[in-house]
Each structure stands twice: as C-alpha cells, then as structure tokens.
Amino acid sequence: EQAELGEVNFSLCYLPTAGRLTVTVIRASNLRAMDLTGFSDPYVKASLMAEGRRLKKRKTSIKKNTLNPSYNEALVFDVPHESVHHVSITIAVVDYD
C-alpha cells in the first residue's frame, strides 16, 4: 500500500548550445502535513546525479504554512552537451523544520 504524499508540477528544458538544463518548479499540491499546526513549510530540492553520485543541487525558496505551495522558480544546472545522456535529476519536496 502506497501512502499519498502529494504531487509536484515541474518542467524540464535543455538548451544544448548553452549546455544548460533548467528545472522549473511550478507548484506542489496535496502535500502531507508535517507540523503540529496541520501545515508544512515545504521547499523543493533538485539534485543532478551521475553514476549514483550527486554532482550539484539547487533549492527553491521555502513556502511557510501551506500544503499547496506555488513556486514558479527556475533551478539551473550547467550540463555539457556530451554529458546530458549520462545524468539524471532527482526531485524531492522537503519540510523546512
């Protein structure tokens, strides 16, 4: 049985001429409450992975006291064109406190 943890809406865009991978975090919804108040202080963490190792990480801002945060934030990673097929992105929603 799988627990309902919520959803994250994001988009990926790779610009090969610039070697830039952009993860745009749009919003999250129906997140699990992690604070005693019945809300959370969520942010999104994106990690650039290669061969099981984290190469780089980026984070959004923290949205206080919400289970349905809206971000509209771009997280940019420099990824050379010859490396783009050897990397992956891991996205996690984390409660600040």
Side-chain angles (χ1 to χ4, degrees), residues 13-89:
C13 180
Y14 183 68
L15 187 58
T17 56
R20 187 169 55 226
L21 176 66
T22 303
V23 179
T24 303
V25 180
I26 302 164
R27 64 185 181 97
S29 57
N30 302 316
L31 298 178
R32 180 182 285 178
M34 300 301 284
D35 295 340
L36 294 175
T37 61
F39 292 102
S40 292
D41 304 316
Y43 65 93
V44 177
K45 181 169 54 172
S47 300
L48 184 69
M49 308 291 290
E51 298 176 3
R53 296 180 326 167
R54 183 174 65 200
L55 301 177
K56 300 173 188 172
K57 66 180 177 180
R58 303 283 187 267
K59 299 187 291 188
T60 66
S61 61
I62 300 161
K63 302 298 182 181
K64 296 281 190 179
N65 298 317
T66 182
L67 299 178
N68 299 291
S70 181
Y71 294 99
N72 293 316
E73 296 182 31
L75 308 176
V76 179
F77 296 92
D78 293 322
V79 180
H81 181 65
E82 57 274 2
S83 301
V84 74
H85 295 292
H86 305 289
V87 297
S88 62
I89 294 285

